[in-house]
Amino acid sequence: MDVKKVLLGVTGGIAAYKSAEICRALQKKGIDVRVIMTENATRFISPLTFVALSGHDVHSDLFEDPKEPILHIDLARDSDLFLIAPCTANMLAKIANGIADDLMSSTALAMASPVIVAPAMNVHMYENAATQHNLCVCRQRGIHIVEPAQGRLACGDEGRGKLADVDDIVSYASSVLFSIDDASDETCKEEDDHDLCGMKILITAGPTVEPIDAVRSITNRSSGKMGYAIADCAKRRGADVVLVSGPVSIDAPAGVDLIKVETAEEMLSSCEDPFTQSDIAVFCAAVADLRPLKSFDRKLKKGIDDEALSTIDLVPNPDIIATLAAKKRDDQVVVGFAAETDDVIENAKQKLNAKHADMIVANKVGGGLAFGCDDDEVSFVTEDDVLSLPLMDKAQIADRLLDQVLKC
Ligand code: C5P
């Protein structure tokens, strides 16, 4: 395999010193790292540090070498990935707006390969509507974001804005880098190429359909997009995936083991075996809570079966996740979903215990979010933490979810 080339962009924030660790960690994965810096970044950490670490010249000025007038184009062309870590609010705003007034922003605009930004800033700057808008714009344009962490910030404020963990940034970068050209490669070559290699993942997806008669049923509007995005992402990251799905109108990702079901009872019995063999189980399906006590093989007819049609007795369906997770092994990670209209985080916390889950992915439904959309706004709720992500597409949520599961 060719040596991968990462261009590491360092912007002027207090976390700039962590870029040296990022540089070293990428190199340990066999990646060739070149560094560019903003002028302000050079006030926090010397370019000499990165010259010594990377073994390459370090540039910060678009016009520093008259012999090399198109430095940003050359750098962009010669890199498989551009990772800006830390990325200041200013640089994020420039990228979101397509501004190209220095080497870093010009290179970002010229990149045809993936761009990842790891923002780091004061909590109020991060929460400012302008920054949140810029993050959304970047995301919609396919720029990857490694969200900042929560904690005590250098300025003394508490909140989200700390540069994400170096390990998280590096593992995110390498999963993007190595998934660029291996999507069709079914074999696991190196551990770092596929961080879920050798793992078995069970995923439930879509709605369940509970028959009333031959033509009528109780169901819901789940599209299956979230569960299928997780299955796709897990497969690309090297896992063996069993996808137990209710009826949906999308195709299953290549290479996953698809089990089609209709009812909640079928979903439970199809999950039992794969669950015992799984390392990770993600219960994403929108399972009908209730089913008709009696279902008819024929079509009930108006005028003849009015009583059966007007009074449908319902009985509870088994809770699939709660049933299976009650017997989970210590080394298994179980993830549930909670779609709520109100008190989203509070309800998710209650579900953690009720469902014996290690993590609940909470999302607010209504206002066009969740069911059927390509984008969603979710929070990962665990016993000790709540990580709320801004609006992003379901493929990116899937990636972040699996990153979080690996931490569990
Ligand atoms: O209780 P609620 O339906 O809100 O819980 C949602 C979570 O529980 C989801 O992860 C869903 O897949 C799972 N679930 C289940 N079996 C049910 C109902 C929900 O596995 N009968």
Side-chain angles (χ1 to χ4, degrees), residues 206-240:
T208 63
V209 179
E210 313 295 335
I212 297 169
D213 68 7
V215 296
R216 300 178 182 88
S217 58
I218 296 176
T219 187
N220 58 67
R221 292 191 286 121
S222 169
S223 64
K225 284 180 182 172
M226 188 69 247
Y228 278 53
I230 299 166
D232 183 39
C233 185
K235 184 70 202 161
R236 282 190 296 102
R237 287 169 68 162
D240 285 337

Side-chain angles (χ1 to χ4, degrees), residues 98-167:
I99 292 172
D101 66 350
D102 62 7
L103 178 62
M104 184 92 55
S105 53
S106 302
T107 308
L109 199 59
M111 280 300 290
S113 298
V115 177
I116 302 178
V117 299
M121 63 197 71
N122 165 272
V123 56
H124 303 300
M125 293 172 82
Y126 172 73
E127 285 175 354
N128 190 294
T131 301
Q132 289 303 315
H133 174 75
N134 291 335
L135 283 165
C136 278
V137 170
C138 286
R139 224 171 251 121
Q140 277 159 11
R141 295 197 185 133
I143 292 172
H144 300 261
I145 315 284
V146 184
E147 286 293 333
Q150 211 153 0
R152 194 172 169 76
L153 307 175
C155 53
D157 281 344
E158 283 280 343
R160 194 166 296 281
K162 266 165 77 117
L163 183 69
D165 266 5
V166 169
D167 287 350

Side-chain angles (χ1 to χ4, degrees), residues 92-398:
L92 183 76
K94 286 195 205 186
I95 294 171
N97 288 284
I99 292 172
D101 66 350
D102 62 7
L103 178 62
M104 184 92 55
S105 53
S106 302
T107 308
L109 199 59
M111 280 300 290
S113 298
V115 177
I116 302 178
V117 299
M121 63 197 71
N122 165 272
V123 56
H124 303 300
M125 293 172 82
Y126 172 73
E127 285 175 354
N128 190 294
T131 301
Q132 289 303 315
H133 174 75
N134 291 335
L135 283 165
C136 278
V137 170
C138 286
R139 224 171 251 121
Q140 277 159 11
R141 295 197 185 133
I143 292 172
H144 300 261
I145 315 284
V146 184
E147 286 293 333
Q150 211 153 0
R152 194 172 169 76
L153 307 175
C155 53
D157 281 344
E158 283 280 343
R160 194 166 296 281
K162 266 165 77 117
L163 183 69
D165 266 5
V166 169
D167 287 350
D168 290 349
I169 295 172
V170 171
S171 85
Y172 193 102
S174 62
S175 73
V176 171
L177 192 60
F178 290 108
S179 67
I180 296 167
D181 53 9
D182 69 0
S184 59
D185 187 347
E186 296 286 292
T187 56
C188 303
K189 294 179 291 274
E190 289 173 17
E191 214 175 307
D192 285 339
D193 289 15
H194 298 77
D195 55 358
L196 299 177
C197 192
M199 292 203 188
K200 293 186 192 310
I201 303 194
L202 165 67
I203 298 161
T204 70
T208 63
V209 179
E210 313 295 335
I212 297 169
D213 68 7
V215 296
R216 300 178 182 88
S217 58
I218 296 176
T219 187
N220 58 67
R221 292 191 286 121
S222 169
S223 64
K225 284 180 182 172
M226 188 69 247
Y228 278 53
I230 299 166
D232 183 39
C233 185
K235 184 70 202 161
R236 282 190 296 102
R237 287 169 68 162
D240 285 337
V241 181
V242 177
L243 176 61
V244 179
S245 174
V248 293
S249 55
I250 49 179
D251 291 332
V256 311
D257 186 358
L258 176 69
I259 304 175
K260 291 184 183 177
V261 297
E262 297 258 328
T263 65
E265 288 183 306
E266 283 167 18
M267 188 172 269
L268 174 59
S269 67
S270 299
C271 283
E272 264 158 4
D273 214 29
F275 180 77
T276 55
Q277 294 174 33
S278 68
D279 302 292
I280 299 164
V282 182
F283 294 90
C284 194
V287 183
D289 293 318
L290 301 161
R291 67 174 185 279
L293 173 65
K294 181 168 168 40
S295 76
F296 296 82
D297 291 340
R298 61 184 178 85
K299 182 182 171 190
L300 294 173
K301 285 191 80 65
K302 210 163 40 172
I304 298 173
D305 299 306
D306 287 348
E307 201 185 323
L309 275 171
S310 58
T311 324
I312 300 169
D313 287 328
L314 298 172
V315 287
N317 262 330
D319 191 314
I320 300 168
I321 177 170
T323 309
L324 296 174
K327 305 178 271 190
K328 88 181 175 82
R329 303 185 311 271
D330 286 348
D331 63 339
Q332 270 178 311
V333 179
V334 172
V335 179
F337 273 68
E340 303 283 347
T341 50
D342 305 289
D343 302 326
V344 181
I345 302 296
E346 253 336 287
N347 284 318
K349 282 188 173 159
Q350 282 169 16
K351 268 181 200 159
L352 259 185
N353 296 324
K355 311 259 180 190
H356 315 288
D358 299 289
M359 182 167 96
I360 294 286
V361 181
N363 58 358
K364 194 166 168 68
V365 286
L369 282 176
F371 278 12
C373 293
D374 291 327
D375 296 333
D376 201 359
E377 205 173 312
V378 302
S379 300
F380 298 141
V381 180
T382 56
E383 197 66 40
D384 344 287
D385 195 23
V386 177
L387 173 62
S388 297
L389 304 180
L391 188 70
M392 60 175 74
D393 76 41
K394 288 182 175 171
Q396 286 177 311
I397 295 174

